[in-house]
């Protein structure tokens, strides 16, 4: 079954009342207020959330979207869910939980374009355009409609955002001290060969949650290069700590992820539930767990079982 498609655009809304008035002037019809809660799940491909809405059946929404600060296409599957608590329990147990996004949404409709005026808990006010693409259509008509409404609602470049609410909430909830430590370390990297600085920061479970940082250290004999995570692990262990409670890694690339070797090294001192914040220079882009990065990992317990 082919996914359905939307052309979407999201922006911060400095004045929801004015946006509402502008939408009505642009010919949109007010379709009322919705109360929605989206529970996200950790999945390896695309995104998966359960949407619960007061007075409507719950839906599992599986979707894929490239995050760019412009109108972009989202491809999605909708599945009706008769028992939301059971589905949340099943998917959280097997995939792990992601953020929960709660919002009050005023829905306006103009032809096949949905206009969302969202008040999102912890994130403030937003305006979203979603043009629903008819099956088999090219996207030209929808892009044109979104562009026209964007103009009418005054959604300027400075207000448009690339990311979804789940990522924005993840960033807002991220531990700033750890992110700043990773940033500091990244600035100190020794990278004359790759010119790719990486910073890592580890919060110790012991030592009152002390934070240790590390940068990548390259070498003219290339294989002698040390990853940022390894530098940070060395600092933590040298300070007398043995357990890692939380990890941040930062690099200026779409999504930095620890290399395979570093995942194994982190697993020596951390657990499958340990959060790993994957950061760009502006902050956390995604938070995953070590178990998500290193499933079916080898550890000392495997040797105990062999004896
Ligand atoms: N690098 C890290 O520091 N950590 C990672 O997890 C990925 C790669 C560094 C090593 C090398 O200095 C540069 O990135 C390019 O591979």
């Amino acid at each position: 079954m082919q996914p359905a498609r939307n052309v979407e655009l999201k922006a911060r809304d400095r004045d929801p009342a004015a946006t509402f008035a502008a939408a009505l002037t642009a010919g949109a019809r007010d379709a009322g207020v919705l109360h929605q809660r989206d529970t996200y799940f950790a999945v390896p491909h695309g995104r998966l959330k359960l949407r619960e809405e007061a007075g409507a059946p719950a839906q599992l929404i599986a979707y894929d979207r490239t995050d760019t600060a412009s109108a972009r296409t989202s491809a999605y599957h909708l599945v009706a869910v008769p028992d939301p608590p059971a589905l949340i329990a099943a998917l959280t147990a097997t995939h792990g939980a992601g953020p929960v996004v709660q919002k009050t949404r005023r829905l306006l409709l103009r032809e096949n374009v949905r206009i969302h005026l969202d008040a999102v808990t912890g994130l403030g006010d937003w305006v979203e355009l979603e043009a629903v693409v008819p099956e088999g259509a090219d996207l030209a008509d929808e892009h044109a409609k979104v562009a026209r409404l964007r103009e009418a609602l005054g959604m300027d470049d400075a207000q448009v955002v690339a990311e979804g609410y789940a990522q924005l909430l993840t960033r807002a909830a991220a531990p700033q001290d750890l992110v700043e430590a990773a940033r500091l370390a990244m600035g100190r990297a020794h990278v004359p060969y790759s010119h790719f600085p990486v910073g890592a920061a580890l919060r110790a479970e012991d030592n009152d949650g002390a934070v240790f940082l590390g940068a990548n250290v390259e070498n003219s004999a290339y294989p002698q290069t040390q990853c940022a995570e390894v530098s940070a692990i060395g600092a933590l262990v040298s300070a007398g700590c043995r357990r890692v409670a939380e990890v941040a890694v930062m690099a200026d690339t779409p999504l930095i992820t620890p290399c395979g070797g570093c995942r194994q090294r982190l697993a020596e001192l951390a657990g499958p539930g340990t959060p790993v914040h994957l950061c760009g220079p502006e902050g956390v882009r995604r938070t995953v767990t070590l178990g998500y990065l290193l499933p079916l990992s080898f550890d000392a317990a495997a040797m105990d079982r062999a004896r």
Side-chain angles (χ1 to χ4, degrees):
M1 189 172 158
Q2 289 301 312
R5 289 175 302 160
N6 287 345
V7 171
E8 302 181 352
L9 185 71
K10 187 202 296 286
R12 288 197 176 74
D13 193 352
R14 279 174 292 202
D15 189 347
T19 310
F20 180 57
L24 294 178
T25 305
R29 171 172 70 81
D30 183 5
V33 172
L34 313 171
H35 298 278
Q36 298 178 333
R37 182 173 65 184
D38 292 343
T39 303
Y40 285 77
F41 304 99
V43 289
H45 303 291
R47 302 171 210 202
L48 189 67
K49 66 185 177 191
L50 175 74
R51 169 159 296 173
E52 295 171 276
E53 189 176 294
Q59 285 183 319
L60 186 68
I61 307 177
Y63 63 114
D64 211 351
R65 182 181 71 207
T66 350
D67 283 341
T68 51
S70 59
R72 64 259 212 248
T73 312
S74 172
Y76 57 96
H77 296 278
L78 301 178
V79 186
V81 174
D83 190 347
L87 187 78
I88 290 177
L91 289 179
T92 301
T94 50
H95 292 258
V100 176
V101 177
Q102 295 211 175
K103 62 178 169 304
T104 301
R105 166 169 288 178
R106 180 167 286 278
L107 174 66
L108 295 110
L109 301 171
R110 190 179 186 286
E111 300 176 346
N112 59 333
V113 186
R114 301 164 58 93
I115 302 168
H116 301 152
L117 305 187
D118 290 341
V120 185
T121 304
L123 289 179
D125 296 316
W126 299 82
V127 53
E128 225 178 41
L129 305 178
E130 269 187 18
V132 182
V133 182
E135 211 182 306
D138 70 7
L139 307 172
D141 194 33
E142 286 67 37
H143 274 288
K145 284 179 178 167
V146 166
R148 274 200 297 276
L149 269 174
R150 174 186 179 156
E151 184 79 29
L153 304 190
M155 296 164 70
D156 55 60
D157 280 353
Q159 305 303 315
V160 171
V161 299
E163 297 138 301
Y165 295 137
Q167 289 116 299
L168 293 165
L169 264 186
T170 298
R171 182 176 314 154
Q176 278 318 306
D177 60 337
L178 211 61
V179 175
E180 288 314 314
R183 189 192 316 285
L184 191 64
M186 184 173 83
R188 294 174 176 167
H190 176 68
V191 288
Y193 308 106
S194 74
H195 305 288
F196 184 70
V198 182
L202 307 177
R203 192 189 308 287
E205 222 170 74
D206 22 26
N207 209 356
D208 284 336
V211 170
F212 297 94
L213 41 142
N216 48 340
V217 184
E218 299 187 343
N219 194 280
S220 54
Y222 293 175
Q224 301 309 319
T225 288
Q226 173 160 303
C227 283
E229 295 86 335
V230 180
S231 300
I233 288 170
L236 178 135
V237 169
S238 308
C241 301
R242 277 294 177 273
R243 296 295 299 168
V244 171
E246 200 171 8
V247 180
V249 187
M250 185 185 290
D252 192 1
T253 188
L255 192 69
I256 180 70
T257 51
C259 77
C262 285
R263 295 175 196 203
Q264 182 66 28
R265 287 185 173 95
L266 289 167
E268 182 75 17
L269 308 176
T274 305
V276 181
H277 306 288
L278 310 173
C279 311
E282 81 294 350
V284 176
R285 291 192 178 153
R286 193 164 165 193
T287 296
V288 295
T289 60
L290 187 58
Y292 178 88
L293 291 174
L294 191 66
L296 297 176
S297 66
F298 177 81
D299 59 17
M303 292 186 287
D304 292 344
R305 279 176 223 126
R307 272 189 216 120

